Amino acid sequence: APNRWTADQLRAEAAWESQARVVPALAVGAGDRAEPRSEAGVVTIGLDSSARELVDRLSGDAATEHLDAGSLTPSLLARLRTDPPRVVVNAEEFPTSLEQLALMGTGAALVTTANDRTRYEVLDGFNALVAAPGSDAFTTAIGALLEDSELRAEVAGNGRATASRYGSLATDATIGA
């Protein structure tokens, strides 16, 4: 199963005991940059125009790049891994944790929306900050990550470690299957 939510659904519907779960994740390369450059700013994915304006105001002088929903491609991920921003803000709801773990693996701190299917891999306050776009929590999360370098480093480091752990487990489980 691609995530714990799906695994629980399969267990509930299966006539036999099911044990294994493989989280879809990409291996995080050891040579990738672990620390974002200080001048790199914010990348947003799938935000509406009012949320984009809010992010622009919060980011101040930091460079901001806005991408439409569906823009997360392997080439974009490769670029983000090579030159990570300080913060990635994602409003897209993905069916598995692959995309969110890939964003965590870039070394950027992630602000993302709540998703029942990925809630066991994307942990609010640990490896990402979870908030609905337009909410006060959304504004607070982005502002806190941009203003507090220690918080940003902790969330980004935990995200990268999570992505690395799942990436190595998924690779081993897939090869061994």
Side-chain angles (χ1 to χ4, degrees), residues 18-87:
S18 57
Q19 303 269 336
R21 175 176 73 94
V22 176
V23 174
L26 303 173
V28 176
D32 292 344
R33 292 176 61 108
E35 293 296 321
R37 292 186 345 204
S38 59
E39 65 270 14
V42 180
V43 171
T44 70
I45 301 170
L47 294 182
D48 63 24
S49 60
S50 63
R52 286 178 177 189
E53 289 173 12
L54 173 67
V55 170
D56 287 338
R57 281 196 312 273
L58 291 171
S59 61
D61 294 337
T64 305
E65 179 181 3
H66 299 291
L67 303 170
D68 294 326
S71 297
L72 193 57
T73 62
S75 61
L76 173 64
L77 282 172
R79 181 172 62 87
L80 293 178
R81 288 172 76 165
T82 302
D83 187 19
R86 288 186 283 171
V87 178

Side-chain angles (χ1 to χ4, degrees), residues 76 84 92-93 121 125 145 148 156 168:
L76 173 64
E92 236 181 306
E93 185 171 319
E121 293 83 33
L145 288 173
D148 188 342
S168 66

Side-chain angles (χ1 to χ4, degrees), residues 55-153:
V55 170
D56 287 338
R57 281 196 312 273
L58 291 171
S59 61
D61 294 337
T64 305
E65 179 181 3
H66 299 291
L67 303 170
D68 294 326
S71 297
L72 193 57
T73 62
S75 61
L76 173 64
L77 282 172
R79 181 172 62 87
L80 293 178
R81 288 172 76 165
T82 302
D83 187 19
R86 288 186 283 171
V87 178
V88 172
V89 181
N90 170 57
E92 236 181 306
E93 185 171 319
F94 298 109
T96 70
S97 52
L98 174 66
E99 292 86 352
Q100 290 170 319
L101 288 169
L103 289 171
M104 287 181 210
T106 65
L110 177 64
V111 177
T112 190
T113 57
N115 182 342
D116 277 345
R117 295 179 179 183
T118 62
R119 71 175 181 244
Y120 296 105
E121 293 83 33
V122 180
L123 305 172
D124 186 27
F126 176 70
N127 58 19
L129 298 183
V130 177
S135 69
D136 289 341
F138 181 75
T139 306
T140 302
I142 295 168
L145 288 173
L146 289 171
E147 293 171 13
D148 188 342
S149 60
E150 288 181 24
L151 172 66
R152 185 174 59 248

